[in-house]
DNA sequence: CAAATGTAAATTGTCTACAATCCGTCGCTG
DNA sequence: CAGCGACGGATTGTAGACAATTTACATTTG
């Protein structure tokens, strides 16, 4: 998840091999970072010009994001960034907690050696950037930690769904981070979850994960509402 | 009488049917009914010709279905219908059961009067067509029953996610129905769930729903594998 | 006869152009 | 002065054309 505003065409050679995916990533990054705040309209020609593409791929990218719940489309009136109600947020966190718990359950009969190693490393990286005050890197490492677990699942179904839920929650998580950049609590939880996985105590890991995610809910609702007010004027 | 819809949230009205959504609906219907069996490739020009549209909207429709987990896209190699592994199916059913349980939980503080009426009606309709042997109508009514509950949720997040999960499970449910068209078990469960909701016994309704969905899992895996073999030769 | 290679058809990726629709504003009228 | 309607600009919806890549098949070669 890169933030750098690279030049449009040569950068398209990077991760996603086709333009629609590349655009979806970039637009998604913009939404997560509140460069396109909720309710702001995403005009096709503007985006096309910004990224040096044409409208076709832009539309495909927006369709992708629409299905991921990041963007709303009203026919003949265009695409706009989706805004969540407090109730949405509650349901979102609840779902994410439950599903990530499900992910851990699905790990129970697998070898988790490489996973726990990777988790530990991601957590160290996160800690490192926390001390340095680099929000972007910290955020990336934080996301990575959770993503590692999700990617370790064999089930494509679970991965698909988690992908959706995560996409919706990322902008809130980013706002949360920006508002309070201590990161202590997250590091602690991550370490304990990793440890539980090492010991193959999946039940504990599951409960810790659910707790970890749920712990941020109240603050998330508050911060999101505040951020919303800030941008809607 | 919609039995397959592709639009995510269906913004308040349905009239301005734009071509991409229409195509997504039609293609989705084709996938669910195994007209485009798993692993078969969905060629853009073919689809465009079949529905009298051009390739732009077709690509958008395929992107929508891709995000819904019905279609897989490989760059420069096109779109093809997704095939599920037995493990995928197990996870899918587990998820659907759990999430539909979640939907019922979310109903707990609401007035369910109109909902239970509608459920009862849908179930009668289903029963009617079961006796008549009309698979299509029966299937539609069956889907409607579950969809009614989902649509009654306020939370757009839950609706979005359920939409995904449902989309993936529909083709399996259709195969299941075609293979054994008694429909007795479903009717029974639906009636009991409705009754539990009438009495505001949400816990019972939840458990019944989970049981109802899970009950079909084993047979689903079997039937799907069989159908897969039939088409892959 | 098998493997490798070269060519042609098929398919996808992207762009430009044009048609349909919507929103805001200006002017007209009561 | 307020309300209604028409016009213009802006934006989306769709189609068709062209370029790039892949696949399949036939030919050549060891």
């Amino acid at each position: 998840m890169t933030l750098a505003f690279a030049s449009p065409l040569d950068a398209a050679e990077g991760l996603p091999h086709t333009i629609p995916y590349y655009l979806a990533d970039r637009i998604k990054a913009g939404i997560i970072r509140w460069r396109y705040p909720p309710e702001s309209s995403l005009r096709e020609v503007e985006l096309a010009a910004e990224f040096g593409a044409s409208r076709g791929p832009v539309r495909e990218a927006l369709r992708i994001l629409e299905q991921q719940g990041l963007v709303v489309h009203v026919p003949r009136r265009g695409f706009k960034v989706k805004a969540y109600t407090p109730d949405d947020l509650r349901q979102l966190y609840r779902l994410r907690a439950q599903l990530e718990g499900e992910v851990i359950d699905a790990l129970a009969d697998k070898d988790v050696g490489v996973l726990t190693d990777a988790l530990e490393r991601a957590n160290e990286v996160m800690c490192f950037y926390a001390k340095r005050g680099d929000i972007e890197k910290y955020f990336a490492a934080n996301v990575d930690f959770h993503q590692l677990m999700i990617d370790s699942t064999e089930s494509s179904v679970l991965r698909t769904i988690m992908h959706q839920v995560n996409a919706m929650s990322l902008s809130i998580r980013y706002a949360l981070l920006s508002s309070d950049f201590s990161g202590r609590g997250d590091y602690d939880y991550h370490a304990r979850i990793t440890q539980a996985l090492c010991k193959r105590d999946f039940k504990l890991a599951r409960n810790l994960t659910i707790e970890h995610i749920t712990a941020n809910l109240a603050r998330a609702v508050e911060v999101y509402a505040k951020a919303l007010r800030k941008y809607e004027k």
Side-chain angles (χ1 to χ4, degrees), chain A:
Chain A
M1 187 132 325
T2 59
L3 171 71
F5 298 142
S7 54
L9 279 181
D10 54 353
E13 201 174 335
L15 305 162
H17 296 76
T18 83
I19 294 186
Y21 279 124
Y22 167 74
L23 291 178
D25 273 353
R26 295 289 304 268
I27 297 170
K28 186 173 172 180
I31 292 174
I32 290 170
R33 285 164 184 72
W34 293 68
R35 198 158 85 77
Y36 314 117
E39 295 295 350
S40 67
S41 66
L42 299 166
R43 275 175 289 274
E44 297 175 11
V45 285
E46 253 177 43
L47 293 171
E50 180 175 349
F51 297 114
S54 80
R55 283 181 48 225
V58 169
R59 282 179 68 89
E60 285 183 38
L62 289 171
R63 289 296 187 195
I64 291 172
L65 297 180
E66 178 192 20
Q67 291 299 307
Q68 293 187 1
L70 286 171
V71 154
V72 178
H73 176 70
V74 183
R76 305 242 162 244
R77 207 163 298 182
F79 294 86
K80 64 180 182 184
V81 180
K82 170 148 184 164
Y84 302 101
T85 67
D87 216 58
D88 283 341
L89 294 187
R90 274 184 277 274
Q91 200 68 49
L92 189 55
Y93 266 71
R94 196 170 155 171
L95 262 182
R96 192 160 83 89
Q98 207 162 340
L99 288 175
E100 216 160 302
E102 198 72 14
V103 167
I104 289 182
D105 276 359
L107 251 53
D109 53 351
K110 299 268 185 343
D111 176 33
V112 294
V114 286
L115 174 61
T116 51
D117 280 359
L119 288 178
E120 210 161 313
R121 237 177 304 133
N123 208 23
E124 291 305 327
V125 169
M126 190 178 91
C127 188
F128 175 73
Y129 286 118
K131 280 176 186 152
R132 260 194 148 173
D134 188 333
I135 293 192
E136 283 301 325
K137 296 267 176 58
Y138 172 85
F139 182 63
N142 193 331
V143 171
D144 271 352
F145 181 89
H146 291 271
Q147 198 63 41
L148 277 169
M149 289 206 285
I150 295 163
D151 287 341
S152 68
T153 302
E154 294 295 321
S155 165
S156 70
V157 174
L158 201 50
R159 275 208 309 274
T160 302
I161 297 296
M162 273 308 295
H163 194 70
Q164 312 281 330
V165 175
N166 249 325
M168 286 192 267
S169 68
L170 280 176
S171 69
I172 292 105
R173 283 160 75 189
Y174 189 82
L176 216 50
L177 232 84
S178 308
S179 86
D180 167 26
F181 187 44
S182 65
R184 270 284 170 75
D186 283 2
Y187 176 77
D188 228 50
Y189 264 115
H190 288 192
R192 282 160 68 198
I193 291 167
T194 308
Q195 208 171 355
L197 281 178
C198 278
K199 291 177 185 164
R200 301 191 64 80
D201 187 345
F202 296 102
K203 192 159 180 182
L204 177 61
R206 184 195 155 101
N207 288 337
L208 281 172
T209 301
I210 293 176
E211 202 182 310
H212 164 43
I213 293 173
T214 312
N216 284 322
L217 171 55
R219 213 158 59 77
V221 173
E222 185 193 337
V223 168
Y224 186 80
K226 202 159 123 190
L228 215 56
R229 277 197 301 277
K230 184 169 145 197
Y231 280 104
E232 80 179 358
K233 66 125 202 301

